[in-house]
Amino acid sequence: GELAAAPFERLGAEVEVIQGQVQEIEGRHTADPARMENLQPLMRRMRETDAQFGLLFDLDGDRIAMVVQQPDSELLVIPAANVVAALVPFLVESGGYDPHTLKLAFIKDSMATRAVDGGAARYQISTFMTDTGYVFLKEQKRNLKAKKYIVPMMAEDSGHSWLDVTGDYENPIAFAILFAVMATQYGNRRLDSTHPFYEAYTANRVP
């Protein structure tokens, strides 16, 4: 949490860290972002402060859950693979990943949304599916890299996420920043935008 706060603050966000203290953990803990009950303190605080964007990390910071506020004030949890699907247009149109000049691919596991396929198909980009588990995604990326593919990003619904520009290690902070930049730019282009995180997500996703 503390590591994530600094870059968001430098980008101009008002940041509040909850449960950010470092402590020894034994046995069962409440830091698994894939479990809905662990999201409740974050979501409760978002309701109290009317926050539009919230993040939850696991103990070693390699998994993430994203929460956005909807126009009716309800909160929506966005699985990491869905974030990938929503970011595809942003990466292609604003991120320098031109499918006409680069050999691109996206990777998803067998539990991920079909929206990844739909988002990639908009730009004639290939999608590859693996068994569930980050080791399989990493192996597929290595195989594709050997075939001269570039994989801009990949994620699994447990919250592991990777960006091509940040290397082989999971980097959910950079993943979240990219989503936030997309949403901020979306809101800045639309005078009637009231919930840019939710609006940018719904505008880019494929049902």
Side-chain angles (χ1 to χ4, degrees):
E2 295 291 350
L3 289 176
F8 277 98
E9 288 172 340
R10 287 197 292 270
L11 290 170
E14 181 180 341
V15 178
E16 177 183 345
V17 178
I18 59 175
Q19 299 180 346
Q21 67 278 11
V22 177
Q23 57 183 327
E24 185 176 352
I25 298 293
E26 294 183 4
R28 185 178 178 85
H29 60 79
T30 59
D32 183 347
R35 299 179 68 90
M36 183 59 70
E37 61 267 29
N38 295 342
L39 288 165
Q40 295 312 305
L42 170 65
M43 297 173 75
R44 182 166 55 250
R45 188 58 182 158
M46 288 180 68
R47 294 186 182 99
E48 292 169 352
T49 61
D50 199 33
Q52 292 202 20
F53 187 46
L55 306 171
L56 177 69
F57 299 94
D58 69 347
L59 294 175
D60 58 353
D62 67 351
R63 292 195 292 148
I64 190 174
M66 294 191 196
V67 184
V68 300
Q69 185 189 72
Q70 301 179 89
D72 61 2
S73 295
E74 291 298 312
L75 298 176
L76 174 68
V77 180
I78 308 178
N82 293 57
V83 176
V84 170
L87 281 168
V88 170
F90 181 72
L91 291 170
V92 171
E93 297 168 14
S94 303
Y97 289 98
D98 184 354
H100 297 103
T101 60
L102 300 172
K103 189 177 181 181
L104 301 176
F106 286 92
I107 304 170
K108 67 172 197 172
D109 68 20
S110 58
M111 299 295 291
T113 173
R114 287 181 293 177
V116 176
D117 304 271
R122 287 179 179 178
Y123 302 95
Q124 290 77 54
I125 299 174
S126 301
T127 305
F128 296 86
M129 186 171 69
T130 72
D131 290 333
T132 301
Y134 69 89
V135 295
F136 298 110
L137 275 77
K138 288 184 174 183
E139 181 182 10
Q140 180 67 280
K141 183 180 179 181
R142 286 193 296 269
N143 293 338
L144 291 173
K145 187 175 180 179
K147 298 177 181 179
K148 308 302 182 184
Y149 278 95
I150 296 173
V151 180
M153 64 166 37
M154 60 184 186
E156 58 175 0
D157 281 354
S158 69
H160 289 111
S161 51
W162 301 260
L163 300 180
D164 174 57
V165 295
T166 56
D168 292 332
Y169 292 100
E170 295 89 334
N171 197 330
I173 295 175
F175 187 68
I177 288 172
L178 188 62
F179 181 81
V181 169
M182 177 192 72
T184 300
Q185 291 185 3
Y186 180 94
N188 289 341
R189 291 195 303 267
R190 291 164 173 78
L191 295 178
D192 61 345
S193 175
T194 59
H195 292 75
F197 292 95
Y198 173 77
E199 292 161 6
Y201 169 66
T202 55
N204 284 348
R205 71 179 182 181
V206 176

